[in-house]
Amino acid sequence: MEALKMRILAKISIGILCFYNIGQAQMGSPGNGETQAIALHPNDPMIMYAGAAKGLCKTVKGGKDDWPTFGLDTYSPRAVVVSQTNPDLLYAGTHEVGIYRSKDGARTWEEVNNGISYPEIRTMVIHPKNDQVVYAGTDGGGVFKTQDGGLSWAEMNHGLFDKVIRTMVMDPRSPDTLYAGTWHGVYKTSDGGENWSADPEGLYDVDVRTLSLDPTNSNIIYAGTQPRGVFRSEDAGQTWTAGARPLMENIESMAVDPANPTHVYVGTRAGVFISTDKADTFKSAGLRWSNMAWTLVFDPKTNPSTLYYGGVGGVLKTTTQGYQWEVTGPIRQ
Amino acid sequence: MKMVIILALGSLILPPSTPIYGQAAAVVDDSGFAGLQVIRCDAQLEPPAWALYERQMIDTLNRAGIEFYDTYVQADGSLEWKERYEGGMNSSDDAYEAFRGYSLLTALGGSEEIDRRHRLVWEGITKQFTRYGQIYREFDSNWDWMHHGEGYISLYPMGMVEPEDALFRDRSVRFAAMYIGEDPEAPNWDPEHKIIRSVMNGSRGPKMEWVKRDWIPTNANLTYYPLPYFDIPGVLGSTAWINDHPDNDQFGKLVKAMSDRMAKGDVPINLAATALIANAYLYTGDDKYVQWVKDYVGTWEKVTKQNGGITPDNIGLSGKVGEYTGHWWGGYYGWVWPRGGTDVVLAELTSAKVATLLTGDKRYSELPRSQMAVMREQGKLENGKYVMPIRHDERGWYHYSAEIAYPYVNLWYLYHNEDDWNQIERLAEADLKRDGQIGDSDLAWAYFVRGRNPDFPIKAFQSDFKFVAEKLNIIRNERGDPESWVDNKWIIPDPIRMDNLVRLTVGGMPIHKRGEMLHAQVRYFDGENKRSGLPPDVATLVSRIEEDWIQIEVSNVNQFESRKLIIQGGTYGEHQIESVTIHSAESSEAVPSPPTRIDARAFTMELGPGAGATVQLKLRRYENKPSYQFPWKL
C-alpha cells in the first residue's frame, strides 16, 4: 500500500491528474466498482470481460448474469486484451502489479512481468494475427513490448519523450504501426515500437486521452484531448484538424462505429456524445449524469453494432445511438 | 467490613466447566472499589474452549483492525480514495460504517488503540466528505435515515468508551439539536405535528425538492431495483435511472415524480433518528431527549392505530397520511419499496428499543411486533414453506418472502414476550426439520441462550476466525486503483466482525441495521484500569437469558494474576442487579452460593488467577436511568 500512496503523491506533485470521478456500489455490474476496461470475445457476443475494482469479471451470457470475478480479485485491471486467433488467451494490465496472462479464458492467471520495470499499466494492444506480440503503455514508464506471449518484455521508448501513456491504438492493416496518446501529444511508430516520433507541427503539447482509428480507413485517426476536444487526421497522423465546434468536455474515451464510420462517440465527464460528421460537431448521446466514461467499445458482431460503456455505471450498452441505454446486469427483485 | 462466604459445593449449570483444584469462595466487600460491592472468586476453572477462543478473537480483531487501518487510512485520517467525489446526496455513511466495529470492540474489551484510531479516522472522514460536499457542520447534509443509520452506528459506541469526551459529547448534543428543533439551520423537526419534515434530512435541514443531481451516482445502482412508480408516462423500466438523453429524459421524469410524491413529509425509516437522540441523552441525562423520543414514536403509534393497525409509510406536512401519495403506502423505503415492510419493521425496532431504554416502558415493542403480525397474517404455505407478503400497493399484498427471524429475536431478547419466543421456536424448528440444523445465526443464538444449542459459541467463533482470515487476505493483497473504487469499498475488507462477540460476551444482538444502538444484558468494565470492557485475560459468556435473570460464565484464563471484573446490568446500567448467585466449578457436587444481594446497577467480581464460575444475576429490567457514564462515577 505504501507504493500506492507514493504513487498518488507523485501524481499530485507533478500535477498531471485531476480526480473528478464519482463512484457507487453497483449491485448488478461487474466487480462492485467502476468499470475501467471492456474486452470482447472475437467470435462469441455472449462472452465479455470487464476490468473492475474487484478484479477481472467475465460474463458468458451477454451481461445477463452476475459478472463473476475471474481472478485478480484485489487488483484493478485497467487494460484487457483478448487474442483474436485464440480467444482463451488474455492479457490484463493492472493498476499497480503489472501484467497477468490467462491461457484458459480467465480461469487461471499467471504473472508475466519479466522486463516490466514500471508496473502501472494504463493501456494495452495486441497484434491481430500474432497473439504473442503485445504492447503495454504505462502511466510513467513508457511502452513495453513482448514478442513471446509475455515471457519477456522490452522497453520500447526510443524517441518517446513523454512516458505517460494514456492510450495506444494499432493499425490492424499494418500492425507495426502504432499511435500512442500521451500527456503531451501523439507519437507514432512504424517499426513495431523501435522508434517513436512526434511531429512538432502535428498534435503536440496537448493531453491526448484517447485515440481511435476509422475501422475502414487507417489513414483516419481521431484524438480525444483535454481540454481541446476531438482532432481528426486523414493522413495517418501527419496533420490534425479540430472540429468545427470542438467538444469542450473532459474526454476520456472514444469509439468509431464500425458499421457507420462517420459516427464517432466520445465518453466524457459529462456523459457520452455522438458526432455523425467525423467529429466536426457533437450532440449528447445520453448518460449526461455519468461523471466518468472510462471506456467505449463497439461490438461489430452485433446488428446494429452495440456500443458498450464502461464507467461509473458499470457496463451499459446502447444500440440506439445513446437514445436508450440498457444495463448489463440482472435486475434485483 | 468483610464477609467471607465459602461456597458450598453443588451441581454445575453448564457441563463444559471442568473443576481442577482450589477452593470456591466468595467475598462480599461493601466498601470495595468505588462503592461497588465486591464478590471474590478463587475457584479454579480450567479455561473452557469458548474462553480461549474469545480471548484469541479479541486479540485477533485488535490486530486486524490496525492492519485494515494502516492499509486504507492516510496519515491525516482520511481514506485512500478519490481527490474529488461528486456524490449528490449520497454520503459518507459507508465510510463511517466501515469502522463501526472499532469503538465497539474497545467498549467490549478490545485495545484502547482501536478506539483511538477510530476517533482519528472519524475526523479524517468528516473533513474528507466535507471537502467532497456531503458533510456540513460535521453531519450529513441531506440523506435518509436508512443511510444515516448505517453511518452513525459507529458514533454511539464512542460514548461507551469515553463518556466524558467533550468533543464527541458536544457533537452528539449538536447532532441531536438538528432533530429536536433546537437548530435553526436544520429545521428537520415539526413540533406541531411531531414529525420529521422530510425523508432527506440532516445538517442543512429537510430537503423537500429533489433534482437529478441529488441522485447521482446513486441512480446507476438503482437500475438494479424495481421502479418506485409504474405510472409515469414514458418511464417503463428501471433503466429510466440512467436514461437522460435530451430527447428521452426518463431520469428527469422519474426524479420529478419522486420529488412530488416522496420528498416532503415523514416516513418510518426516520424512526432510526431516535438512536441519535438517545445518544445525546446517554451523555447528558437531559430529559428533553426522552420527551422527544416519546413524542416522535407516539406519532407513529397514533397513525398506525388510525390506519387500522398498519403503519403507514408516509405522512404529509399537514400531518395527513397519504397527503402526496393518496395512500398509506407509496412512501420512501415504505411498503412499495423492494424490501417493503421489512424496512418499516426494522426502523420501528430501533426506535422501540430506544424508547423502552429511555422510558422503561415496554409497550413500545408493540409497534414492530404488530407489523410483523400484519404481514404474517397474510402469509401462506408455498412449497411447504411459510411465506409472507412484505409489500403492498393498489394490487394488495404481494412479494411473498420467507420470514426473517431477526425481528422476533430482537423483540424476545429484550422484552421476553412468549409470543415472540413462539415465533422463534416455529422458525427454528422448521429449520431443524428441513435441514437438520438452524441456519439463521440469530435463531441459533436464541436457542443457545435458552440452553438448547450448546455448540453455538465454538461454531460462532470458528466462523468468525474464518471471516477475519478472508478479510485479512483481501487487505494484504490490496493493489487496487482507488480511482475505480466505489463508496462502499472499505466495508468489503473491514475485518472487525463483532456480531458473535456481542452475542456471546454481553448477550446482545449484532448492530448493523437501521442505526441501532447496542442493547445487551450486561456490560463489563476493567476495575484495575478503570476502562470500559473486559479486563485482560477475562472471558465471559452469556449462556442464559430469561425475563428476570441471566447467567454468565466467567473465566480468568490468566494463571498468574488476579483480575477485577465489573459487571453492569444492561449496556447503559438500565437494569438493576438485584442479586448474584455464584456457581463454582469446584466439583460435581457443588451447590451454588446463597444469593448475594446487590441492588445496584453494577458490582465488582474479583477473579483470582485461573478462577472462574457460573454467575446468575437476578435483574429488574429498565429500572434505572441509562447512561454512558462508568458505574463507579454515578
Side-chain angles (χ1 to χ4, degrees):
Chain A
M1 211 58 199
E2 197 53 35
L4 175 65
K5 289 176 181 171
M6 292 302 292
R7 180 63 191 145
I8 286 174
L9 286 173
K11 282 177 181 171
I12 293 169
S13 66
I14 57 178
I16 297 174
L17 297 180
C18 299
F19 299 82
Y20 292 102
N21 313 320
I22 54 177
Q24 170 66 27
Q26 307 300 325
M27 286 189 64
S29 66
N32 193 34
E34 297 184 13
T35 297
Q36 291 190 315
I38 297 172
L40 307 176
H41 191 284
N43 309 315
D44 186 345
M46 291 292 104
I47 299 177
M48 290 186 282
Y49 300 92
K54 193 181 174 189
L56 195 285
C57 302
K58 178 181 181 180
T59 176
V60 295
K61 295 180 180 176
K64 292 298 178 190
D65 55 19
D66 279 330
W67 287 90
T69 299
F70 273 65
L72 311 182
D73 302 36
T74 53
Y75 308 149
S76 295
R78 304 199 301 187
V80 183
V81 290
V82 181
S83 166
Q84 299 299 294
T85 54
N86 171 18
D88 280 345
L89 178 63
L90 290 86
Y91 301 86
T94 68
H95 165 65
E96 200 185 42
V97 287
I99 297 169
Y100 282 73
R101 180 180 70 180
S102 172
K103 294 179 176 179
D104 53 11
R107 276 187 286 277
T108 60
W109 292 90
E110 58 185 321
E111 185 181 343
V112 285
N113 281 323
N114 183 25
I116 297 279
S117 57
Y118 202 98
E120 295 181 30
I121 311 301
R122 175 72 264 180
T123 179
M124 296 176 79
V125 291
I126 187 168
H127 194 291
K129 293 176 180 168
N130 180 0
D131 57 22
Q132 300 300 292
V133 176
V134 181
Y135 297 84
T138 68
D139 269 343
V143 175
F144 294 83
K145 178 181 181 181
T146 180
Q147 299 185 77
D148 54 12
L151 294 180
S152 62
W153 295 83
E155 197 173 301
M156 310 295 282
N157 289 338
H158 187 257
L160 193 64
F161 298 113
D162 187 345
K163 294 181 181 176
V164 178
I165 310 297
R166 310 287 201 198
T167 181
M168 282 193 298
V169 289
M170 176 185 282
D171 182 350
R173 296 171 192 80
S174 175
D176 279 345
T177 299
L178 292 92
Y179 302 87
T182 74
W183 182 20
H184 292 102
V186 174
Y187 284 77
K188 178 178 181 180
T189 176
S190 301
D191 54 11
E194 294 292 336
N195 297 283
W196 294 89
S197 62
D199 185 349
E201 302 302 318
L203 198 57
Y204 196 70
D205 205 18
V206 60
D207 190 356
V208 179
R209 310 293 293 209
T210 179
L211 292 166
S212 283
L213 284 179
D214 183 328
T216 61
N217 182 348
S218 295
N219 284 328
I220 300 179
I221 311 164
Y222 298 95
T225 72
Q226 287 189 18
R228 290 165 52 190
V230 179
F231 289 79
R232 181 179 71 243
S233 171
E234 299 198 351
D235 54 9
Q238 289 182 49
T239 59
W240 298 84
T241 54
R245 281 187 291 150
L247 182 64
M248 301 307 287
E249 300 288 351
N250 288 317
I251 295 169
E252 290 290 346
S253 52
M254 185 160 49
V256 180
D257 187 345
N260 197 344
T262 60
H263 290 190
V264 179
Y265 292 79
V266 293
T268 76
R269 289 175 178 169
V272 178
F273 290 81
I274 178 176
S275 168
T276 56
D277 53 13
K278 297 203 291 187
D280 255 2
T281 60
F282 284 89
K283 60 182 180 181
S284 173
L287 306 188
R288 289 180 291 170
W289 55 269
S290 169
N291 287 32
M292 175 51 81
W294 286 105
T295 184
L296 293 174
V297 176
F298 264 107
D299 187 352
K301 301 183 292 295
T302 54
N303 186 23
S305 301
T306 303
L307 176 64
Y308 289 99
Y309 150 102
V312 65
V315 178
L316 309 176
K317 64 181 179 182
T318 181
T319 56
T320 57
Q321 299 184 351
Y323 180 83
Q324 177 81 22
W325 290 86
E326 303 292 335
V327 296
T328 60
I331 301 294
R332 269 38 175 184
Q333 292 300 327
Chain B
M1 181 184 76
K2 274 190 178 177
M3 177 172 62
V4 178
I5 300 172
I6 305 297
L7 293 178
L9 302 178
S11 60
L12 291 176
I13 300 294
L14 279 187
S17 304
T18 306
I20 47 176
Y21 61 90
Q23 185 182 49
V27 178
V28 177
D29 186 346
D30 59 5
S31 62
F33 173 72
L36 302 179
Q37 285 197 63
V38 178
I39 294 180
R40 182 168 180 81
C41 176
D42 288 312
Q44 293 297 294
L45 176 71
E46 181 182 337
W50 63 262
L52 299 176
Y53 267 109
E54 184 177 303
R55 287 310 317 182
Q56 190 61 38
M57 176 53 64
I58 291 171
D59 184 49
T60 298
L61 293 181
N62 283 339
R63 298 175 64 178
I66 299 298
E67 206 164 318
F68 176 77
Y69 185 100
D70 286 345
T71 303
Y72 296 102
V73 181
Q74 303 182 96
D76 65 354
S78 65
L79 296 172
E80 194 87 73
W81 206 29
K82 305 163 191 290
E83 183 63 19
R84 286 186 57 178
Y85 173 63
E86 300 171 5
M89 286 189 291
N90 193 17
S91 63
S92 54
D93 56 288
D94 285 343
Y96 288 125
E97 189 182 354
F99 298 87
R100 67 187 178 190
Y102 272 61
S103 291
L104 182 60
L105 175 60
T106 303
L108 265 56
S111 74
E112 290 178 303
E113 177 65 7
I114 286 287
D115 174 69
R116 191 185 74 80
R117 300 262 185 147
H118 185 209
R119 288 167 201 267
L120 285 174
V121 77
W122 182 280
E123 302 299 334
I125 291 169
T126 301
K127 286 176 185 160
Q128 187 172 13
F129 281 79
T130 298
R131 182 162 48 82
Y132 292 154
Q134 282 83 37
I135 287 181
Y136 175 62
R137 298 191 296 145
E138 300 190 326
F139 196 86
D140 258 345
S141 298
N142 305 108
W143 197 219
D144 59 58
W145 264 98
M146 164 79 192
H147 294 92
H148 283 326
E150 288 178 343
Y152 295 123
I153 273 179
S154 67
L155 173 67
Y156 312 142
M158 291 195 209
M160 294 159 59
V161 177
E162 294 282 357
E164 294 177 2
D165 181 336
L167 183 62
F168 276 92
R169 179 188 182 282
D170 292 349
R171 272 182 185 147
S172 296
V173 168
R174 278 193 290 111
F175 295 166
M178 296 171 186
Y179 286 90
I180 66 169
E182 291 187 349
D183 183 342
E185 207 176 337
N188 296 301
W189 178 241
D190 174 355
E192 181 189 351
H193 297 101
K194 295 184 170 46
I195 58 172
I196 291 175
R197 288 190 165 103
S198 174
V199 302
M200 298 299 177
N201 50 65
S203 57
R204 292 187 190 275
K207 189 175 183 66
M208 298 197 196
E209 288 187 5
W210 303 342
V211 296
K212 283 191 287 186
R213 181 72 193 83
D214 297 326
W215 288 91
I216 299 168
T218 308
N219 63 317
N221 193 33
L222 293 172
T223 54
Y224 301 101
Y225 291 97
L227 280 171
Y229 300 112
F230 296 97
D231 63 338
I232 307 166
V235 176
L236 302 177
S238 296
T239 53
W241 283 108
I242 56 169
N243 277 298
D244 63 352
H245 190 284
D247 301 327
N248 183 31
D249 191 7
Q250 299 173 52
F251 183 23
K253 292 175 185 172
L254 185 56
V255 171
K256 175 73 168 55
M258 290 177 68
S259 181
D260 290 345
R261 302 181 203 179
M262 284 182 175
K264 294 184 282 293
D266 207 352
V267 293
I269 55 161
N270 280 338
L271 280 165
T274 53
L276 187 76
I277 308 309
N279 176 57
Y281 175 82
L282 293 169
Y283 276 110
T284 64
D286 191 328
D287 285 337
K288 68 183 178 185
Y289 299 118
V290 179
Q291 187 58 49
W292 186 91
V293 169
K294 288 162 74 174
D295 287 346
Y296 188 46
V297 179
T299 295
W300 287 101
E301 287 180 319
K302 184 179 76 177
V303 294
T304 299
K305 188 176 178 187
Q306 289 169 347
N307 194 45
I310 303 174
T311 301
D313 66 18
N314 63 103
I315 304 175
L317 290 174
S318 71
K320 182 184 169 191
V321 169
E323 188 170 347
Y324 314 113
T325 62
H327 306 286
W328 56 264
W329 66 85
Y332 187 86
Y333 273 102
W335 291 102
V336 176
W337 280 51
R339 285 188 298 258
T342 308
D343 281 326
V344 175
V345 166
L346 293 181
E348 289 179 336
L349 268 174
T350 296
S351 66
K353 291 187 288 186
V354 163
T356 300
L357 174 71
L358 266 51
T359 66
D361 191 339
K362 293 186 176 182
R363 83 158 203 274
Y364 291 107
S365 63
E366 279 307 313
L367 199 52
R369 183 179 292 117
S370 64
Q371 301 313 293
M372 286 301 289
V374 162
M375 291 185 281
R376 193 172 62 244
E377 285 160 10
Q378 307 291 330
K380 61 184 180 184
L381 272 175
E382 205 172 82
N383 299 324
K385 191 169 186 177
Y386 194 76
V387 292
M388 65 182 197
I390 59 172
R391 298 165 77 187
H392 186 285
D393 62 17
E394 57 273 2
R395 294 168 289 179
W397 293 101
Y398 65 107
H399 195 157
Y400 285 80
S401 300
E403 281 178 275
I404 55 171
Y406 181 85
Y408 298 133
V409 181
N410 239 290
L411 287 165
W412 172 79
Y413 93 108
L414 292 177
Y415 295 102
H416 312 285
N417 180 319
E418 279 306 303
D419 285 346
D420 298 327
W421 179 258
N422 290 339
Q423 307 303 336
I424 290 169
E425 202 164 39
R426 179 172 57 83
L427 294 177
E429 292 302 317
D431 266 15
L432 286 167
K433 186 177 175 185
R434 187 179 59 249
D435 306 325
Q437 60 181 352
I438 302 173
D440 182 280
S441 57
D442 294 323
L443 284 179
W445 171 70
Y447 260 41
F448 167 69
V449 291
R450 276 220 150 169
R452 292 166 64 172
N453 187 12
D455 297 336
F456 177 79
I458 299 299
K459 285 183 180 174
F461 281 131
Q462 287 172 337
S463 164
D464 283 359
F465 275 110
K466 185 180 175 196
F467 174 91
V468 176
E470 288 169 357
K471 299 301 183 181
L472 286 172
N473 187 49
I474 295 174
I475 294 166
R476 289 168 183 167
N477 290 291
E478 181 64 78
R479 297 289 187 278
D481 179 2
E483 284 300 297
S484 69
W485 292 351
V486 291
D487 57 2
N488 71 347
K489 165 64 186 180
W490 313 279
I491 293 175
I492 297 166
D494 166 23
I496 307 287
R497 177 183 251 189
M498 293 298 296
D499 294 13
N500 287 314
L501 272 181
V502 166
R503 287 184 180 115
L504 297 171
T505 60
V506 293
M509 285 281 283
I511 46 171
H512 41 69
K513 290 186 171 68
R514 311 307 180 271
E516 293 168 304
M517 318 185 75
L518 180 63
H519 298 266
Q521 313 303 314
V522 286
R523 193 174 149 215
Y524 309 109
F525 301 87
D526 176 354
E528 293 291 345
N529 296 301
K530 296 184 173 58
R531 53 153 287 193
S532 180
L534 289 167
D537 308 315
V538 173
T540 58
L541 175 68
V542 174
S543 57
R544 194 72 186 257
I545 299 175
E546 297 294 340
E547 184 170 5
D548 60 353
W549 64 276
I550 63 168
Q551 179 170 289
I552 311 170
E553 314 303 315
V554 178
S555 172
N556 175 15
V557 304
N558 189 318
Q559 304 299 311
F560 308 98
E561 296 173 16
S562 295
R563 294 289 182 247
K564 193 177 281 187
L565 170 71
I566 295 174
I567 302 178
Q568 174 180 273
T571 304
Y572 314 102
E574 66 271 24
H575 303 324
Q576 185 81 341
I577 300 173
E578 197 171 295
S579 63
V580 177
T581 305
I582 305 289
H583 300 251
S584 82
E586 185 62 15
S587 91
S588 61
E589 295 179 356
V591 294
S593 69
T596 302
R597 183 172 170 77
I598 301 294
D599 203 20
R601 63 173 68 208
F603 70 99
T604 302
M605 193 165 179
E606 285 188 354
L607 294 161
T614 296
V615 180
Q616 283 183 346
L617 307 184
K618 193 162 172 40
L619 300 175
R620 295 200 300 274
R621 292 183 184 271
Y622 298 110
E623 186 167 292
N624 300 322
K625 251 181 116 165
S627 174
Y628 282 141
Q629 188 53 277
F630 297 154
W632 58 89
K633 292 193 171 182
L634 285 170

